[in-house]
Amino acid sequence: MVAESIAAAAEVVERRNPFSISRRPVTTSQRVEPAAARPQPPLLQLQGIVGGPPWSAVVQGIPGRDGEVLVQPGDTIAGLRIVRVTSTSVLVAMRDTAWALRLAGDER
């Protein structure tokens, strides 16, 4: 009984399309396609830490840059924001993702 009433209600919602201005059923051309897969993150590698404090970091693999790049907290390069640099790591963020890069051999 409950399953039948839920199915009937779902049919009504589908027919009336309450999220459309016209309140008409969705046609094939109006259906939303799934979003494309997110691009893979760049292959960032922490090559070294310089100075300190305040620390700077040598990072390799920044899109559009050949070789290593010296970065500091607050820098934004190719859409990557350098959030924090410590004596052993760098926190790099994009709009919805963050990576903690650590020096090779640092298991903390």
Side-chain angles (χ1 to χ4, degrees):
M1 181 95 170
V2 173
E4 291 170 358
S5 63
I6 291 174
E11 265 184 54
V12 169
V13 169
E14 186 176 335
R15 257 194 334 269
R16 292 185 183 166
N17 195 8
F19 303 106
S20 167
I21 292 174
S22 66
R23 304 280 197 263
R24 293 191 183 120
V26 176
T27 64
T28 305
S29 64
Q30 294 173 321
R31 291 205 173 106
V32 177
E33 295 297 321
R38 280 186 16 195
Q40 290 289 63
L43 298 174
L44 297 175
Q45 296 177 345
L46 178 58
Q47 299 296 314
I49 301 291
V50 180
W55 307 98
S56 295
V58 179
V59 178
Q60 184 174 13
I62 293 180
R65 301 286 180 103
D66 290 331
E68 293 91 9
V69 178
L70 184 66
V71 297
Q72 298 173 343
D75 289 351
T76 300
I77 305 169
L80 302 171
R81 186 170 43 90
I82 308 303
V83 177
R84 180 175 56 236
V85 179
T86 69
S87 63
T88 59
S89 66
V90 176
L91 183 62
V92 180
M94 288 183 73
R95 288 186 353 204
D96 61 351
T97 307
W99 300 283
L101 308 177
R102 300 195 189 290
L103 287 172
D106 183 26
E107 302 300 322
R108 287 186 242 174

